[in-house]
Amino acid sequence: MEQIENRRSIRKYLNKKIEKEKVVQVLESARLAPSGSNTQPWTFIIVESEETKEKLSIADHHQEWMMTAPVFIVCVADICCRISEGIRLDENSPEPELKLIIRDTAIAIEHILLEAEHLGLATCWTAWFEQDAVRPILNIPEDKYVCGIITLGYGDEAPNQRPRKNMDEIIRYEKW
């Protein structure tokens, strides 16, 4: 619960390199995430190149603050794990299997966020982009779906927790 309670979306990072072992450990936490039918639909692209990070931050709605993070983790869902015929997917695709693939990859992404917090690192899950803007930067095939770009580093800010709904607002018993 400590990591869950303390995790924040950080948009300002220290100019400090992350130890390789910590990057590997956050990715190991994602590798161990559960997925429906054990499909493990995720692939993670580690980006440290300033040039590539800049292109991604521009594609991600020109969010300049992203450039303060030393590492980006681009989280990609493999559509082929559930949809065998090669199809092109984007934000408007109606395929129901897409929801399952994104759900499973989102679980792995949350593992990254919580393990990073556990290791004293900070993150922000960004997704203010179109698939066609991000895919070409990293040569991602059209049958893959980018679920998010995670900024990773040592935080240089400590925002307060944002308001959360009360339990009685979000829980129902037996029916709506």
Side-chain angles (χ1 to χ4, degrees), residues 97-142:
E97 294 294 318
L98 177 60
K99 295 173 191 171
L100 301 176
I101 296 160
I102 292 171
R103 173 207 61 202
D104 291 345
T105 304
I107 294 168
I109 294 170
E110 184 64 9
H111 276 54
I112 288 172
L113 303 182
L114 294 176
E115 184 62 18
E117 178 68 30
H118 174 72
L119 295 172
L121 297 169
T123 59
C124 187
W125 180 346
T126 72
W128 201 4
F129 53 79
E130 298 287 326
Q131 297 296 307
D132 286 341
V134 173
R135 283 182 182 137
I137 296 169
L138 300 171
N139 298 321
I140 298 170
E142 288 189 354

Side-chain angles (χ1 to χ4, degrees), residues 11-26:
R11 292 176 178 84
K12 186 177 179 187
Y13 296 88
L14 296 172
N15 185 13
K16 180 179 177 183
K17 188 166 176 60
I18 304 170
E19 300 85 346
K20 183 176 180 173
E21 313 81 61
K22 289 187 176 184
V23 175
V24 170
Q25 190 167 335
V26 298

Side-chain angles (χ1 to χ4, degrees), residues 136-160:
I137 296 169
L138 300 171
N139 298 321
I140 298 170
E142 288 189 354
D143 64 350
K144 309 294 183 249
Y145 188 86
V146 181
C147 292
I149 300 171
I150 307 303
T151 56
L152 180 69
Y154 288 96
D156 193 21
E157 64 177 352
N160 292 326

